[in-house]
Amino acid sequence: MTKKHVPKKRSLVGVLKRLIVAGIALLSVLIALGLWNHRRGPVIDTNAAFLERVDATLANSHQWMRDHRELMKVQDNPALTHMVHAMNKLAPDPLLQALEDDYHRSRPTFFWRRMVLPHVDTERFTLQRVAGMAEYQRWFAYGVDPEGTPITDQDRASLWDAEQHQGVDLTHQLFAHYFYLLAPHAVAKPLHPDSERKKFMAQLALRIHQEATLDFRVSDLFLQRIATLLMIGRADLVEPRWVERVMTNQLADGGWRWSWKGWGPGRWSIGSPNSPSHQHPTMQAAWLLTQIRHRYPQWVDQHYPSDG
């Protein structure tokens, strides 16, 4: 009579523990390498080489916009058209003007045109309409039309909370305050004067910089963090290595992916590492590089010495 072979439970548990420890060790090494690559000094060593790379990357991104103009016509994110408008102001280009014209032509009374042209006369939202939006959309609606958009005291308190939000909620919070400063105001004494708002935005910028320092994934959120810091004039909080990594991660078609190697933008978001380019990260990358090239020449000179 043969005896059944019974696996040794302790042996299997031991193997499993060793595999878990090895996996944790490998993950720790990969994270450490990622942080080192993210936080080290610039790799490009001269001013001319850096500007040449920026110009080439921007040219490729503009080609992406040409190739995807029909997609841009139907995209419904007004923030992307705001970026197009901002880029065209810094570096006028017929393509950018055409993209903005496409947006306005198809949406003559659309409320969100205010995000692009703050003084334009459009429809306004009712309290019921605003109540059905996501929180960041309620912030944006109030930001672009503070005199006509009703929001609750709870929303207002959340918009002014310096510690509650993180990730994309934090950059959206900064966006909302930025839009408020651009919007027309009729109230002589607003609840928060612009000077107070700007100080608060500086607090948010420091927190965005802290998050950007620790998050090495070149995802849509990575691009948004850099773009919003530049948007409010805080180029001093943008590291040159971050901008280099933005350019390195451009795809062959001139666009950028939503995630980094399938990871992100959320902390636990996992997808395909070979996903196609997307209009949202692509416009943010083009906007931040346009700002670096045409708004912040001193930043370039500071971090990249002249050849001569």
Side-chain angles (χ1 to χ4, degrees):
M1 186 174 177
T2 58
K3 294 182 179 179
K4 289 184 178 180
H5 176 69
V6 180
K8 293 183 179 180
K9 189 174 181 180
R10 291 184 180 178
S11 178
L12 290 176
V13 171
V15 171
L16 183 59
K17 286 182 177 179
R18 287 193 290 273
L19 288 174
I20 291 174
V21 170
I24 293 174
L26 178 60
L27 180 61
S28 299
V29 169
L30 292 175
I31 291 175
L33 287 173
L35 285 171
W36 170 79
N37 184 48
H38 180 56
R39 300 175 70 173
R40 63 176 170 152
V43 174
I44 301 173
D45 56 0
T46 67
N47 189 284
F50 177 78
L51 292 177
E52 182 180 358
R53 182 69 179 275
V54 172
D55 288 341
T57 306
L58 279 172
N60 291 336
S61 72
H62 281 214
Q63 186 59 52
W64 186 97
M65 296 178 206
R66 290 187 191 91
D67 295 340
H68 295 80
R69 183 171 175 183
E70 294 305 312
L71 173 65
M72 294 298 294
K73 282 182 180 180
V74 299
Q75 67 85 16
D76 59 358
N77 189 332
L80 301 189
T81 307
H82 175 88
M83 297 173 196
V84 169
H85 178 80
M87 285 189 280
N88 198 37
K89 287 182 68 176
L90 287 171
D93 185 289
L95 170 65
L96 298 174
Q97 187 62 55
L99 291 175
E100 182 178 343
D101 290 344
D102 287 343
Y103 182 84
H104 292 303
R105 192 178 299 114
S106 62
R107 302 165 175 84
T109 64
F110 192 45
F111 171 86
W112 292 113
R113 288 182 64 208
R114 293 172 182 266
M115 190 176 287
V116 185
L117 302 173
H119 292 82
V120 72
D121 185 22
T122 70
E123 63 178 352
R124 280 179 156 166
F125 288 146
T126 63
L127 179 60
Q128 183 179 9
R129 179 82 177 274
V130 173
M133 298 176 177
E135 181 179 56
Y136 82 93
Q137 292 173 323
R138 299 195 297 269
W139 289 347
F140 284 5
Y142 173 72
V144 301
D145 184 22
E147 303 298 334
T149 302
I151 62 170
T152 65
D153 291 341
Q154 182 179 355
D155 282 337
R156 198 185 305 273
S158 180
L159 181 58
W160 282 91
D161 193 314
E163 301 296 335
Q164 175 185 353
H165 305 292
Q166 57 185 344
V168 70
D169 292 332
L170 181 57
T171 51
H172 282 165
Q173 185 182 15
L174 183 61
F175 255 125
H177 285 283
Y178 160 78
F179 289 138
Y180 183 96
L181 291 176
L182 299 179
H185 302 280
V187 177
K189 292 184 178 180
L191 186 61
H192 299 280
D194 287 354
S195 58
E196 181 183 351
R197 190 176 301 273
K198 289 177 181 178
K199 289 179 181 179
F200 183 76
M201 291 168 67
Q203 290 180 261
L204 299 183
L206 291 175
R207 291 194 55 225
I208 290 171
H209 173 264
Q210 291 169 356
E211 289 190 357
T213 301
L214 296 173
D215 189 355
F216 56 83
R217 300 168 301 163
V218 185
S219 67
D220 181 74
L221 177 55
F222 179 92
L223 302 171
Q224 190 166 113
R225 285 172 174 145
I226 301 174
T228 53
L229 290 174
L230 296 171
M231 170 186 79
I232 66 165
R234 295 306 305 267
D236 59 303
L237 297 179
V238 173
E239 302 295 337
R241 181 60 185 152
W242 299 352
V243 178
E244 291 182 0
R245 296 191 65 221
V246 169
M247 296 189 287
T248 299
N249 279 269
Q250 187 179 41
L251 300 179
D253 68 353
W256 280 260
R257 289 192 175 101
W258 192 268
S259 63
W260 180 74
K261 302 185 186 303
W263 185 15
R267 191 174 300 170
W268 309 113
S269 302
I270 302 295
S272 170
N274 299 314
S275 58
S277 58
H278 189 280
Q279 67 265 26
H280 199 277
T282 298
M283 300 312 294
Q284 293 192 134
W287 183 31
L288 77 86
L289 290 172
T290 300
Q291 292 185 80
I292 287 291
R293 183 66 172 93
H294 298 284
R295 184 180 175 187
Y296 294 108
Q298 296 88 350
W299 182 93
V300 177
D301 292 340
Q302 176 186 352
H303 294 290
Y304 295 93
S306 298
D307 301 336

